[in-house]
Coordinates of all heavy atoms in Angstrom, one line a residue:
M1 N 11.4 2.6 -12.3 CA 10.1 2.4 -12.8 C 9.1 2.6 -11.7 O 9.3 2.2 -10.5 CB 9.9 0.9 -13.3 CG 8.6 0.4 -13.8 SD 8.5 0.6 -15.5 CE 6.8 0.9 -15.7
W2 N 8.0 3.3 -12.1 CA 6.9 3.5 -11.1 C 6.0 2.3 -11.2 O 5.7 1.7 -12.3 CB 6.2 4.8 -11.5 CG 6.9 6.1 -11.1 CD1 8.3 6.3 -11.0 CD2 6.3 7.3 -10.8 NE1 8.5 7.6 -10.7 CE2 7.4 8.3 -10.5 CE3 5.0 7.7 -10.7 CZ2 7.1 9.6 -10.2 CZ3 4.8 9.1 -10.4 CH2 5.8 10.0 -10.1
F3 N 5.4 2.0 -10.0 CA 4.4 1.0 -10.0 C 3.2 1.4 -9.1 O 3.4 2.1 -8.2 CB 5.0 -0.3 -9.3 CG 6.1 -0.9 -10.0 CD1 7.4 -0.6 -9.8 CD2 5.8 -1.9 -11.0 CE1 8.4 -1.2 -10.5 CE2 6.8 -2.5 -11.7 CZ 8.1 -2.2 -11.5
A4 N 2.0 1.1 -9.6 CA 0.8 1.2 -8.8 C 0.5 -0.1 -8.1 O 0.5 -1.1 -8.7 CB -0.4 1.6 -9.7
V5 N 0.3 -0.1 -6.8 CA 0.1 -1.2 -6.0 C -1.3 -1.1 -5.4 O -1.6 -0.2 -4.7 CB 1.2 -1.4 -4.9 CG1 0.9 -2.6 -4.0 CG2 2.5 -1.4 -5.5
V6 N -2.1 -2.2 -5.6 CA -3.4 -2.3 -5.0 C -3.4 -3.5 -4.1 O -3.3 -4.6 -4.6 CB -4.6 -2.3 -6.0 CG1 -5.9 -2.4 -5.3 CG2 -4.5 -1.1 -6.9
A7 N -3.4 -3.3 -2.8 CA -3.5 -4.4 -1.8 C -5.0 -4.5 -1.3 O -5.6 -3.5 -1.0 CB -2.5 -4.1 -0.7
H8 N -5.4 -5.8 -1.3 CA -6.7 -6.1 -0.9 C -6.8 -6.7 0.5 O -6.2 -7.6 0.8 CB -7.3 -7.1 -1.9 CG -7.2 -6.6 -3.3 ND1 -8.3 -5.9 -3.9 CD2 -6.2 -6.7 -4.2 CE1 -7.9 -5.6 -5.2 NE2 -6.7 -6.1 -5.3
D9 N -7.6 -6.0 1.4 CA -7.8 -6.5 2.7 C -8.7 -7.7 2.8 O -9.7 -7.8 2.1 CB -8.4 -5.4 3.6 CG -7.5 -4.3 4.0 OD1 -6.5 -4.1 3.4 OD2 -7.9 -3.5 5.0
A10 N -8.3 -8.6 3.7 CA -9.2 -9.7 4.1 C -10.4 -9.2 4.9 O -10.2 -8.2 5.6 CB -8.4 -10.8 4.9
P11 N -11.5 -9.9 4.9 CA -12.6 -9.5 5.6 C -12.3 -9.5 7.1 O -11.5 -10.3 7.6 CB -13.7 -10.5 5.4 CG -13.3 -11.2 4.0 CD -11.8 -11.1 4.1
D12 N -12.9 -8.5 7.9 CA -12.8 -8.5 9.3 C -11.4 -8.4 9.9 O -11.0 -9.0 10.8 CB -13.5 -9.7 9.9 CG -15.0 -9.8 9.5 OD1 -15.7 -8.7 9.5 OD2 -15.4 -10.9 9.2
T13 N -10.6 -7.6 9.2 CA -9.2 -7.4 9.7 C -8.9 -6.0 10.1 O -7.7 -5.6 10.2 CB -8.2 -7.8 8.5 OG1 -8.5 -7.0 7.4 CG2 -8.2 -9.3 8.3
L14 N -9.9 -5.2 10.4 CA -9.7 -3.8 10.9 C -8.8 -3.8 12.1 O -7.9 -2.9 12.2 CB -11.0 -3.1 11.1 CG -10.9 -1.6 11.5 CD1 -10.2 -0.8 10.5 CD2 -12.3 -1.1 11.8
A15 N -9.0 -4.6 13.1 CA -8.3 -4.7 14.3 C -6.8 -4.9 14.0 O -5.9 -4.3 14.5 CB -8.8 -5.7 15.3
Q16 N -6.5 -5.8 13.1 CA -5.1 -6.1 12.8 C -4.5 -5.0 12.0 O -3.3 -4.6 12.2 CB -5.0 -7.4 11.9 CG -5.4 -8.7 12.6 CD -6.8 -9.1 12.3 OE1 -7.7 -8.3 12.4 NE2 -7.0 -10.3 12.0
R17 N -5.2 -4.3 11.2 CA -4.8 -3.2 10.4 C -4.4 -2.0 11.4 O -3.3 -1.5 11.3 CB -5.8 -2.7 9.4 CG -5.5 -1.4 8.7 CD -6.6 -0.9 7.8 NE -6.5 -1.5 6.4 CZ -5.8 -0.9 5.5 NH1 -5.2 0.3 5.7 NH2 -5.8 -1.4 4.3
L18 N -5.3 -1.8 12.3 CA -5.0 -0.7 13.3 C -3.9 -1.0 14.2 O -3.1 -0.1 14.6 CB -6.3 -0.4 14.1 CG -7.4 0.1 13.3 CD1 -8.7 0.3 14.2 CD2 -7.1 1.5 12.6
A19 N -3.7 -2.3 14.6 CA -2.6 -2.7 15.5 C -1.2 -2.6 14.9 O -0.3 -2.4 15.5 CB -2.8 -4.1 16.0
T20 N -1.2 -2.8 13.5 CA 0.1 -2.7 12.9 C 0.4 -1.5 12.0 O 1.4 -1.3 11.3 CB 0.3 -4.0 11.9 OG1 -0.9 -4.0 11.1 CG2 0.4 -5.2 12.8
R21 N -0.6 -0.5 12.1 CA -0.5 0.7 11.3 C 0.8 1.5 11.5 O 1.4 2.0 10.5 CB -1.7 1.6 11.6 CG -1.8 2.8 10.7 CD -3.1 3.5 11.0 NE -3.2 4.7 10.0 CZ -2.9 5.9 10.2 NH1 -2.4 6.2 11.4 NH2 -3.1 6.8 9.3
V22 N 1.3 1.6 12.7 CA 2.5 2.4 13.0 C 3.6 1.8 12.3 O 4.4 2.5 11.6 CB 2.7 2.5 14.5 CG1 4.1 3.1 14.8 CG2 1.6 3.4 15.2
D23 N 3.8 0.5 12.3 CA 4.9 -0.2 11.7 C 4.8 -0.1 10.2 O 5.8 0.1 9.4 CB 5.0 -1.6 12.1 CG 5.4 -1.7 13.5 OD1 6.1 -0.8 14.1 OD2 5.1 -2.8 14.1
H24 N 3.6 -0.2 9.6 CA 3.3 -0.1 8.2 C 3.7 1.3 7.7 O 4.4 1.5 6.7 CB 1.9 -0.4 8.0 CG 1.4 -0.1 6.6 ND1 1.6 -0.9 5.5 CD2 0.7 0.9 6.1 CE1 1.1 -0.5 4.4 NE2 0.5 0.7 4.7
L25 N 3.3 2.3 8.4 CA 3.6 3.8 8.0 C 5.0 4.0 8.2 O 5.5 4.8 7.3 CB 2.7 4.7 8.9 CG 1.3 4.7 8.6 CD1 0.5 5.7 9.5 CD2 0.9 5.0 7.1
A26 N 5.7 3.5 9.1 CA 7.2 3.7 9.3 C 7.9 3.3 8.0 O 8.9 3.9 7.5 CB 7.7 3.0 10.5
R27 N 7.5 2.1 7.4 CA 8.2 1.7 6.2 C 7.9 2.6 5.0 O 8.7 2.9 4.2 CB 7.7 0.3 5.8 CG 8.1 -0.7 6.9 CD 7.6 -2.1 6.6 NE 8.5 -2.7 5.6 CZ 8.1 -3.1 4.3 NH1 6.9 -2.9 3.9 NH2 9.0 -3.6 3.5
L28 N 6.7 3.2 5.0 CA 6.3 4.1 3.9 C 7.1 5.4 4.1 O 7.5 6.0 3.1 CB 4.8 4.4 3.9 CG 3.9 3.2 3.4 CD1 2.5 3.5 3.7 CD2 4.2 2.9 1.9
N29 N 7.3 5.8 5.3 CA 8.0 7.1 5.6 C 9.5 6.9 5.1 O 10.0 7.9 4.7 CB 8.0 7.4 7.1 CG 6.7 8.0 7.5 OD1 6.0 8.7 6.7 ND2 6.2 7.7 8.7
V30 N 10.1 5.7 5.2 CA 11.4 5.5 4.7 C 11.4 5.7 3.1 O 12.3 6.4 2.6 CB 11.9 4.1 5.1 CG1 13.2 3.8 4.3 CG2 12.1 4.0 6.5
L31 N 10.4 5.1 2.5 CA 10.3 5.4 1.0 C 10.2 6.8 0.7 O 10.7 7.3 -0.3 CB 9.2 4.5 0.4 CG 9.4 3.0 0.3 CD1 8.2 2.5 -0.5 CD2 10.7 2.7 -0.5
Q32 N 9.3 7.5 1.5 CA 9.1 8.9 1.2 C 10.4 9.7 1.4 O 10.8 10.6 0.5 CB 8.0 9.5 2.2 CG 7.7 10.9 1.9 CD 6.6 11.5 2.7 OE1 6.3 10.9 3.8 NE2 6.0 12.5 2.3
A33 N 11.2 9.4 2.4 CA 12.5 10.1 2.6 C 13.5 9.8 1.5 O 14.3 10.7 1.2 CB 13.1 9.7 4.0
Q34 N 13.3 8.7 0.8 CA 14.2 8.3 -0.3 C 13.6 8.9 -1.6 O 14.3 8.8 -2.7 CB 14.3 6.8 -0.4 CG 15.0 6.1 0.7 CD 14.8 4.6 0.7 OE1 14.0 4.1 0.0 NE2 15.6 3.9 1.5
G35 N 12.5 9.5 -1.6 CA 11.9 10.1 -2.8 C 11.3 9.1 -3.7 O 10.9 9.3 -4.8
R36 N 10.9 7.9 -3.1 CA 10.4 6.8 -4.0 C 8.9 6.6 -3.8 O 8.3 5.9 -4.6 CB 11.1 5.5 -3.7 CG 12.6 5.7 -4.2 CD 13.3 4.3 -4.1 NE 13.4 3.7 -2.9 CZ 13.4 2.4 -2.7 NH1 13.3 1.6 -3.7 NH2 13.4 1.8 -1.4
L37 N 8.3 7.2 -2.7 CA 6.9 7.1 -2.5 C 6.2 8.3 -3.1 O 6.5 9.5 -2.9 CB 6.6 7.2 -1.0 CG 5.1 7.1 -0.6 CD1 4.5 5.8 -0.9 CD2 5.0 7.4 0.9
K38 N 5.3 8.0 -4.0 CA 4.6 9.1 -4.8 C 3.3 9.4 -4.2 O 2.9 10.6 -4.1 CB 4.5 8.6 -6.3 CG 5.7 8.2 -6.9 CD 6.9 9.2 -6.8 CE 8.1 8.6 -7.4 NZ 9.3 9.5 -7.2
I39 N 2.5 8.4 -3.8 CA 1.2 8.6 -3.1 C 0.9 7.2 -2.4 O 1.3 6.2 -2.8 CB 0.2 8.9 -4.0 CG1 -1.1 9.4 -3.3 CG2 -0.2 7.8 -5.1 CD1 -2.2 10.0 -4.2
A40 N 0.3 7.4 -1.2 CA -0.2 6.2 -0.5 C -1.4 6.5 0.4 O -1.5 7.6 0.8 CB 1.0 5.7 0.4
G41 N -2.3 5.4 0.5 CA -3.4 5.6 1.4 C -4.3 4.5 1.3 O -4.3 3.6 0.4
P42 N -5.2 4.4 2.4 CA -6.1 3.3 2.5 C -7.4 3.6 1.6 O -7.6 4.7 1.2 CB -6.5 3.2 4.0 CG -6.4 4.7 4.3 CD -5.2 5.3 3.6
L43 N -8.0 2.5 1.3 CA -9.3 2.5 0.5 C -10.5 2.3 1.4 O -10.7 1.1 1.8 CB -9.2 1.6 -0.7 CG -8.0 1.6 -1.7 CD1 -8.0 0.5 -2.6 CD2 -8.2 2.9 -2.4
P44 N -11.2 3.3 1.9 CA -12.3 3.1 2.8 C -13.4 2.2 2.1 O -13.7 2.2 0.9 CB -12.8 4.5 3.1 CG -11.7 5.4 2.8 CD -10.9 4.7 1.6
A45 N -14.0 1.4 3.0 CA -15.1 0.5 2.5 C -16.4 1.3 2.1 O -17.2 0.7 1.5 CB -15.3 -0.6 3.5
I46 N -16.5 2.5 2.7 CA -17.6 3.3 2.4 C -17.2 4.7 2.0 O -16.0 5.0 2.1 CB -18.6 3.4 3.6 CG1 -17.9 4.0 4.8 CG2 -19.2 2.0 3.9 CD1 -18.8 4.2 6.0
D47 N -18.1 5.5 1.5 CA -17.7 6.8 1.0 C -17.5 7.8 2.2 O -18.3 8.8 2.2 CB -18.8 7.4 0.0 CG -18.8 6.6 -1.3 OD1 -17.9 5.9 -1.6 OD2 -19.8 6.7 -2.0
Q48 N -16.6 7.5 3.0 CA -16.3 8.4 4.1 C -14.8 8.4 4.3 O -14.2 7.3 4.2 CB -17.0 7.9 5.4 CG -18.5 7.9 5.3 CD -19.1 9.3 5.3 OE1 -18.6 10.1 6.1 NE2 -20.2 9.4 4.6
E49 N -14.3 9.5 4.7 CA -12.8 9.5 5.0 C -12.5 8.7 6.1 O -11.4 8.0 6.2 CB -12.4 11.0 5.3 CG -11.5 11.6 4.2 CD -11.0 13.0 4.6 OE1 -10.1 13.0 5.4 OE2 -11.5 13.9 4.0
N50 N -13.3 8.7 7.2 CA -13.2 7.9 8.4 C -14.3 6.9 8.3 O -15.4 7.2 8.8 CB -13.1 8.7 9.6 CG -12.9 7.8 10.8 OD1 -12.8 6.6 10.8 ND2 -12.8 8.4 12.0
P51 N -14.1 5.6 7.8 CA -15.2 4.7 7.7 C -15.6 4.1 9.0 O -16.6 3.2 8.9 CB -14.6 3.7 6.7 CG -13.2 3.7 7.0 CD -12.8 5.1 7.3
G52 N -14.9 4.3 10.1 CA -15.3 3.7 11.3 C -15.3 2.2 11.2 O -14.3 1.6 10.7
E53 N -16.3 1.5 11.8 CA -16.4 0.1 11.9 C -16.4 -0.6 10.5 O -16.1 -1.8 10.3 CB -17.6 -0.4 12.7 CG -17.4 0.0 14.2 CD -16.3 -0.7 14.9 OE1 -16.2 -2.0 14.6 OE2 -15.6 -0.1 15.6
A54 N -16.9 0.2 9.4 CA -16.8 -0.4 8.1 C -15.5 -0.7 7.6 O -15.3 -1.7 6.8 CB -17.5 0.6 7.1
G55 N -14.4 0.0 8.1 CA -13.0 -0.4 7.8 C -12.6 0.0 6.4 O -13.2 0.9 5.8
F56 N -11.8 -0.8 5.9 CA -11.1 -0.5 4.6 C -11.1 -1.8 3.7 O -11.1 -2.9 4.3 CB -9.7 -0.1 4.8 CG -9.6 1.2 5.7 CD1 -9.5 1.1 7.0 CD2 -9.7 2.4 5.1 CE1 -9.4 2.2 7.8 CE2 -9.6 3.5 5.9 CZ -9.5 3.5 7.2
I57 N -11.1 -1.6 2.4 CA -11.1 -2.7 1.5 C -9.7 -3.0 1.1 O -9.4 -4.0 0.4 CB -12.0 -2.6 0.3 CG1 -11.6 -1.3 -0.5 CG2 -13.4 -2.5 0.8 CD1 -12.3 -1.3 -1.8
G58 N -8.7 -2.1 1.3 CA -7.3 -2.3 0.9 C -6.6 -1.0 1.0 O -6.9 0.0 1.7
S59 N -5.5 -0.9 0.2 CA -4.6 0.2 0.1 C -4.2 0.4 -1.3 O -4.1 -0.5 -2.1 CB -3.4 0.0 1.0 OG -3.6 -0.3 2.3
L60 N -3.8 1.7 -1.6 CA -3.3 2.1 -2.9 C -2.0 2.8 -2.7 O -1.9 3.7 -1.8 CB -4.2 3.0 -3.7 CG -3.6 3.7 -4.9 CD1 -3.4 2.6 -6.0 CD2 -4.6 4.8 -5.4
V61 N -0.9 2.3 -3.3 CA 0.4 2.9 -3.2 C 1.0 3.1 -4.6 O 0.9 2.1 -5.4 CB 1.4 2.1 -2.3 CG1 2.7 2.7 -2.2 CG2 0.7 1.8 -1.0
V62 N 1.6 4.3 -4.9 CA 2.4 4.4 -6.1 C 3.8 4.7 -5.6 O 4.0 5.6 -4.9 CB 1.8 5.6 -7.0 CG1 2.7 5.8 -8.2 CG2 0.4 5.3 -7.4
V63 N 4.7 3.8 -6.1 CA 6.1 3.9 -5.7 C 7.0 3.7 -6.8 O 6.6 3.3 -7.9 CB 6.4 2.7 -4.6 CG1 5.6 3.0 -3.4 CG2 6.0 1.4 -5.2
E64 N 8.3 4.0 -6.6 CA 9.3 3.9 -7.6 C 10.3 2.8 -7.1 O 10.9 2.9 -6.0 CB 10.0 5.2 -7.9 CG 11.0 5.1 -9.0 CD 11.5 6.5 -9.3 OE1 11.3 7.5 -8.7 OE2 12.3 6.6 -10.3
F65 N 10.5 1.7 -7.9 CA 11.5 0.7 -7.6 C 12.2 0.4 -8.9 O 11.6 0.5 -10.0 CB 10.8 -0.6 -7.1 CG 10.6 -0.5 -5.6 CD1 9.5 0.1 -5.0 CD2 11.5 -1.1 -4.7 CE1 9.2 0.1 -3.7 CE2 11.2 -1.1 -3.3 CZ 10.1 -0.5 -2.8
D66 N 13.4 -0.1 -8.8 CA 14.2 -0.4 -10.0 C 13.5 -1.6 -10.8 O 13.6 -1.7 -12.0 CB 15.6 -0.7 -9.7 CG 16.5 0.5 -9.2 OD1 16.0 1.6 -9.6 OD2 17.5 0.3 -8.5
T67 N 13.0 -2.6 -10.0 CA 12.4 -3.7 -10.6 C 11.2 -4.2 -9.8 O 11.1 -3.9 -8.7 CB 13.5 -4.9 -10.7 OG1 13.7 -5.4 -9.3 CG2 14.8 -4.6 -11.3
R68 N 10.4 -5.0 -10.5 CA 9.2 -5.5 -9.9 C 9.6 -6.5 -8.7 O 8.9 -6.6 -7.7 CB 8.4 -6.3 -10.9 CG 7.1 -6.9 -10.3 CD 6.4 -7.8 -11.4 NE 5.8 -6.9 -12.4 CZ 4.6 -6.5 -12.6 NH1 3.7 -6.9 -11.6 NH2 4.2 -5.8 -13.5
E69 N 10.7 -7.2 -9.0 CA 11.2 -8.2 -8.0 C 11.6 -7.4 -6.7 O 11.3 -7.9 -5.6 CB 12.4 -9.0 -8.5 CG 12.0 -9.9 -9.6 CD 11.8 -9.2 -11.0 OE1 12.3 -8.1 -11.2 OE2 11.1 -9.8 -11.9
L70 N 12.2 -6.3 -6.8 CA 12.6 -5.5 -5.6 C 11.3 -5.0 -4.9 O 11.2 -5.0 -3.6 CB 13.5 -4.3 -5.9 CG 15.0 -4.7 -6.4 CD1 15.7 -3.5 -6.9 CD2 15.7 -5.4 -5.2
L71 N 10.4 -4.5 -5.7 CA 9.1 -4.1 -5.1 C 8.4 -5.3 -4.4 O 8.0 -5.1 -3.2 CB 8.2 -3.5 -6.2 CG 6.8 -3.3 -5.8 CD1 6.7 -2.4 -4.5 CD2 5.9 -2.7 -6.9
Q72 N 8.4 -6.4 -5.0 CA 7.7 -7.6 -4.4 C 8.4 -8.0 -3.0 O 7.7 -8.3 -2.1 CB 7.8 -8.8 -5.4 CG 6.9 -10.0 -4.8 CD 5.5 -9.7 -4.7 OE1 4.8 -9.3 -5.7 NE2 4.9 -9.8 -3.5
A73 N 9.7 -7.9 -3.0 CA 10.4 -8.3 -1.7 C 10.1 -7.3 -0.7 O 9.9 -7.6 0.5 CB 11.9 -8.3 -2.0
W74 N 9.9 -6.0 -1.1 CA 9.6 -4.9 -0.1 C 8.2 -5.2 0.4 O 7.9 -5.1 1.6 CB 9.7 -3.6 -0.7 CG 9.4 -2.4 0.2 CD1 10.2 -1.9 1.1 CD2 8.2 -1.7 0.3 NE1 9.6 -0.9 1.8 CE2 8.3 -0.8 1.4 CE3 6.9 -1.8 -0.4 CZ2 7.2 0.0 1.6 CZ3 5.9 -1.0 0.0 CH2 6.1 -0.1 1.1
L75 N 7.2 -5.5 -0.5 CA 5.9 -5.8 -0.1 C 5.8 -7.0 0.8 O 5.0 -7.0 1.7 CB 5.0 -6.0 -1.4 CG 4.7 -4.7 -2.2 CD1 4.1 -5.2 -3.6 CD2 3.8 -3.7 -1.5
D76 N 6.5 -8.0 0.5 CA 6.5 -9.3 1.2 C 6.8 -9.1 2.7 O 6.4 -9.8 3.5 CB 7.3 -10.3 0.6 CG 6.8 -10.9 -0.7 OD1 5.6 -10.7 -1.0 OD2 7.7 -11.5 -1.4
A77 N 7.6 -8.0 3.0 CA 8.0 -7.7 4.3 C 7.1 -6.7 5.1 O 7.4 -6.3 6.2 CB 9.5 -7.2 4.3
D78 N 6.0 -6.4 4.4 CA 5.1 -5.4 5.1 C 4.4 -5.9 6.3 O 4.0 -7.1 6.3 CB 4.1 -4.9 4.0 CG 3.3 -3.7 4.5 OD1 2.4 -3.9 5.3 OD2 3.7 -2.6 4.2
P79 N 4.3 -5.1 7.3 CA 3.6 -5.6 8.5 C 2.1 -6.1 8.3 O 1.6 -7.0 9.0 CB 3.7 -4.4 9.5 CG 4.9 -3.7 9.1 CD 4.9 -3.9 7.6
Y80 N 1.4 -5.4 7.4 CA 0.1 -5.8 7.0 C 0.0 -7.2 6.4 O -0.9 -7.9 6.7 CB -0.6 -4.8 6.1 CG -1.0 -3.5 6.7 CD1 -1.6 -2.5 5.9 CD2 -0.9 -3.3 8.0 CE1 -2.0 -1.4 6.4 CE2 -1.4 -2.1 8.6 CZ -1.9 -1.1 7.8 OH -2.4 0.1 8.3
V81 N 1.0 -7.6 5.7 CA 1.2 -9.0 5.2 C 1.3 -10.0 6.4 O 0.6 -11.0 6.5 CB 2.3 -9.1 4.1 CG1 2.5 -10.6 3.7 CG2 1.9 -8.3 2.9
A82 N 2.3 -9.7 7.2 CA 2.6 -10.5 8.3 C 1.4 -10.7 9.3 O 1.1 -11.7 9.8 CB 3.8 -10.0 9.1
A83 N 0.5 -9.6 9.4 CA -0.6 -9.6 10.3 C -1.8 -10.2 9.6 O -2.9 -10.4 10.3 CB -0.9 -8.2 10.8
G84 N -1.8 -10.6 8.3 CA -2.9 -11.2 7.6 C -3.9 -10.2 7.2 O -5.0 -10.6 6.9
V85 N -3.6 -8.9 7.1 CA -4.5 -7.9 6.7 C -4.8 -8.1 5.2 O -5.9 -8.1 4.7 CB -4.0 -6.5 7.0 CG1 -4.9 -5.4 6.4 CG2 -3.8 -6.3 8.5
Y86 N -3.7 -8.2 4.4 CA -3.9 -8.3 3.0 C -4.1 -9.8 2.5 O -3.4 -10.7 2.9 CB -2.6 -7.8 2.2 CG -2.4 -6.3 2.4 CD1 -1.1 -5.8 2.3 CD2 -3.4 -5.4 2.6 CE1 -0.8 -4.4 2.4 CE2 -3.2 -4.0 2.7 CZ -1.8 -3.6 2.6 OH -1.6 -2.2 2.7
T87 N -5.1 -10.0 1.6 CA -5.3 -11.3 1.1 C -4.4 -11.4 -0.2 O -3.8 -12.5 -0.4 CB -6.8 -11.5 0.6 OG1 -7.1 -10.5 -0.4 CG2 -7.7 -11.4 1.7
H88 N -4.3 -10.4 -1.0 CA -3.4 -10.4 -2.1 C -3.1 -9.0 -2.5 O -3.7 -8.0 -2.1 CB -4.0 -11.2 -3.3 CG -5.2 -10.6 -3.8 ND1 -6.4 -10.7 -3.3 CD2 -5.4 -9.9 -5.0 CE1 -7.3 -10.1 -4.0 NE2 -6.8 -9.6 -5.1
V89 N -2.0 -8.8 -3.4 CA -1.6 -7.5 -3.8 C -1.4 -7.6 -5.3 O -0.8 -8.5 -5.9 CB -0.2 -7.2 -3.2 CG1 0.3 -5.9 -3.7 CG2 -0.4 -7.1 -1.6
D90 N -2.0 -6.6 -6.0 CA -1.8 -6.4 -7.5 C -0.8 -5.4 -7.7 O -0.8 -4.3 -7.1 CB -3.2 -6.1 -8.1 CG -4.2 -7.2 -8.0 OD1 -3.9 -8.4 -8.1 OD2 -5.4 -6.8 -7.7
I91 N 0.1 -5.7 -8.7 CA 1.2 -4.7 -9.0 C 1.0 -4.4 -10.5 O 0.9 -5.3 -11.3 CB 2.5 -5.3 -8.8 CG1 2.7 -5.7 -7.3 CG2 3.6 -4.3 -9.2 CD1 4.0 -6.5 -7.0
Y92 N 1.0 -3.1 -10.8 CA 0.8 -2.6 -12.2 C 2.0 -1.6 -12.5 O 2.2 -0.7 -11.7 CB -0.5 -1.9 -12.4 CG -1.7 -2.8 -12.0 CD1 -2.3 -2.6 -10.8 CD2 -2.2 -3.7 -12.9 CE1 -3.4 -3.3 -10.4 CE2 -3.3 -4.4 -12.5 CZ -3.9 -4.3 -11.3 OH -5.0 -5.0 -11.0
P93 N 2.6 -1.8 -13.6 CA 3.6 -0.7 -14.0 C 2.7 0.6 -14.2 O 1.5 0.5 -14.6 CB 4.1 -1.2 -15.4 CG 3.8 -2.7 -15.5 CD 2.6 -2.9 -14.6
F94 N 3.3 1.7 -13.9 CA 2.6 3.0 -13.9 C 3.5 4.0 -14.7 O 4.7 4.1 -14.3 CB 2.3 3.4 -12.5 CG 1.5 4.7 -12.5 CD1 0.2 4.8 -12.7 CD2 2.2 5.9 -12.2 CE1 -0.5 6.0 -12.7 CE2 1.5 7.1 -12.1 CZ 0.2 7.1 -12.3
K95 N 2.9 4.7 -15.6 CA 3.6 5.7 -16.3 C 3.0 7.1 -15.9 O 1.9 7.4 -16.4 CB 3.5 5.5 -17.9 CG 4.2 6.6 -18.6 CD 4.1 6.3 -20.1 CE 4.7 7.5 -20.9 NZ 4.6 7.3 -22.3
P96 N 3.6 7.9 -15.1 CA 3.1 9.2 -14.7 C 3.0 10.1 -15.9 O 3.9 10.2 -16.7 CB 4.1 9.7 -13.7 CG 5.3 9.0 -13.9 CD 5.0 7.7 -14.5
V97 N 1.9 10.9 -16.0 CA 1.7 11.8 -17.1 C 1.4 13.2 -16.5 O 2.1 14.2 -16.9 CB 0.6 11.4 -18.1 CG1 0.3 12.4 -19.1 CG2 1.0 10.1 -18.7
L98 N 0.5 13.3 -15.6 CA 0.1 14.6 -15.0 C 0.1 14.4 -13.5 O -0.2 13.4 -13.0 CB -1.3 15.0 -15.5 CG -1.4 15.4 -16.9 CD1 -2.9 15.5 -17.3 CD2 -0.6 16.6 -17.2
P99 N 0.3 15.4 -12.7 CA 0.9 16.7 -13.1 C 2.3 16.6 -13.3 O 3.1 15.8 -12.7 CB 0.5 17.6 -11.8 CG 0.4 16.6 -10.7 CD 0.0 15.3 -11.3

């Protein structure tokens, strides 16, 4: 099953996000190598690719997991969670149509 994940950043956590980014991306790279990562990226706080000090409001990830429970376990182990970057994460079943 595919899932759309929207993770919401806590205020003023840009430093924590940047400090743990390498570890966060390493986990996503594993999913990509497994063919389970469909798309991933941060959500800038302003209409700029590089928002600078404005930072990010969260992340969007579309992934494939057998169950929501397996996805939740994977999310719970994310470095951004451990660093307090995310306040909460919303998980939605996703049905790809295009392309």
Side-chain angles (χ1 to χ4, degrees):
M1 173 96 210
W2 286 27
F3 294 93
V5 177
V6 180
H8 303 268
D9 283 17
D12 302 317
T13 55
L14 180 59
Q16 294 95 311
R17 176 183 266 275
L18 296 176
T20 54
R21 184 173 187 263
V22 170
D23 294 335
H24 171 77
L25 291 178
R27 297 179 79 244
L28 290 170
N29 285 326
V30 171
L31 284 184
Q32 183 177 20
Q34 296 169 345
R36 297 189 300 146
L37 178 66
K38 308 308 177 184
I39 191 169
L43 302 169
I46 60 175
D47 292 344
Q48 299 289 323
E49 249 184 75
N50 183 356
E53 293 295 316
F56 302 91
I57 61 167
S59 302
L60 170 68
V61 180
V62 177
V63 293
E64 186 174 6
F65 275 83
D66 289 338
T67 67
R68 180 186 294 260
E69 292 77 20
L70 289 172
L71 169 58
Q72 186 64 61
W74 182 83
L75 290 167
D76 289 344
D78 192 278
Y80 283 177
V81 171
V85 174
Y86 294 152
T87 59
H88 65 284
V89 177
D90 296 319
I91 301 171
Y92 305 98
F94 182 78
K95 181 181 174 184
V97 175
L98 294 170

